[in-house]
Amino acid sequence: MHGRRSPRKKARRSKGPCRPASHQVLPDIGGWILAEIVPALAIAVLLVGFLVESTIAVRRCLGHWDRVLQTRQSLAAALWYMGREIRMGGCNPTGEASLEGVDLVPESSEGPGLKLAMDLRGASPGSRPDGDADDPDEQVRYRWAEADAVLSRNRQPVASGIRPNPAGEPLFSMRRNGDRVLVRLFLTAGSSHEEAMSLSTSVAVRNVQ
């Protein structure tokens, strides 16, 4: 009979002194820490705010100059139109019309004004002067209503936003020197005091009665 083999005992290794646990060293990927992120965000916010403020300021400035340009163009157009018509005041090619020519309108509730009379046409458009000033556009009155800030021609608006002139200068004034008449037009316009602009012109009346 074969006898049983006794189980072999595995030899135990002596652990000896404790060895440190192994760990993996991660590579440095150059990350940001909170102390670096906060100043960077603060600088970025300041830069964005500066850009926004600069954009708003530029747009405000451009809007201001655009309104100034529109005001200047409106005043220049009104002065040119009025000056051209005033030069024709008193026109009497036939010598038969009884005209007052150009004269100031007395101050009234409607505001200061200027009136013109001229013989430019007959009863029908394009016809020759007929010796009177009773046809359309032969009697012209310019008025400035301060309450409405409107300059009108025969009750039709010519320019809006007309303000009182600096130092109380009149809108319409005349100088007579013998057979010479000089009409001065002085207009001020603008939506505010800062944007107010004044233009003036002097017109020599050709046809003096």
Side-chain angles (χ1 to χ4, degrees):
M1 292 182 64
H2 297 284
R4 289 185 178 178
R5 295 181 180 180
S6 60
R8 295 181 180 179
K9 294 182 179 179
K10 295 182 179 180
R12 294 182 179 178
R13 296 181 180 179
S14 175
K15 292 183 179 180
C18 297
R19 290 182 294 178
S22 62
H23 63 278
Q24 184 179 3
V25 178
L26 298 177
D28 185 7
I29 58 175
W32 294 75
I33 61 176
L34 186 61
E36 296 173 331
I37 293 177
V38 171
L41 288 177
I43 293 174
V45 169
L46 290 176
L47 288 176
V48 171
F50 174 76
L51 291 176
V52 171
E53 288 292 333
S54 300
T55 302
I56 293 174
V58 169
R59 293 188 63 179
R60 187 183 297 115
C61 182
L62 292 176
H64 166 77
W65 287 111
D66 184 58
R67 290 190 296 271
V68 169
L69 180 60
Q70 291 179 358
T71 300
R72 181 181 180 86
Q73 290 177 340
S74 176
L75 288 178
L79 290 174
W80 177 84
Y81 181 84
M82 294 170 63
R84 185 185 66 172
E85 196 163 49
I86 290 171
R87 288 187 184 92
M88 297 300 296
C91 179
N92 187 9
T94 65
E96 300 175 359
S98 177
L99 303 177
E100 297 179 1
V102 180
D103 203 358
L104 298 176
V105 176
E107 188 77 25
S108 67
S109 59
E110 296 181 1
L114 185 72
K115 61 181 179 179
L116 316 173
M118 44 204 160
D119 183 17
L120 301 178
R121 49 169 282 186
S124 59
S127 59
R128 293 183 178 182
D130 56 1
D132 62 53
D134 300 328
D135 304 307
D137 290 329
E138 290 187 337
Q139 297 280 348
V140 177
R141 286 202 174 195
Y142 286 100
R143 286 281 192 179
W144 173 59
E146 182 177 357
D148 300 326
V150 173
L151 176 66
S152 61
R153 176 190 181 274
N154 292 349
R155 302 186 181 277
Q156 298 298 318
V158 173
S160 59
I162 304 299
R163 302 163 55 91
N165 288 326
E169 287 284 337
L171 271 73
F172 312 105
S173 59
M174 291 181 61
R175 286 185 180 181
R176 293 184 181 270
N177 184 9
D179 59 349
R180 297 180 180 179
V181 176
L182 189 68
V183 178
R184 183 171 184 259
L185 307 174
F186 193 117
L187 300 180
T188 300
S191 58
S192 63
H193 179 71
E194 292 76 13
E195 297 180 357
M197 173 178 291
S198 300
L199 290 180
S200 65
T201 187
S202 296
V203 183
V205 180
R206 298 174 178 175
N207 310 286
V208 179
Q209 302 297 318

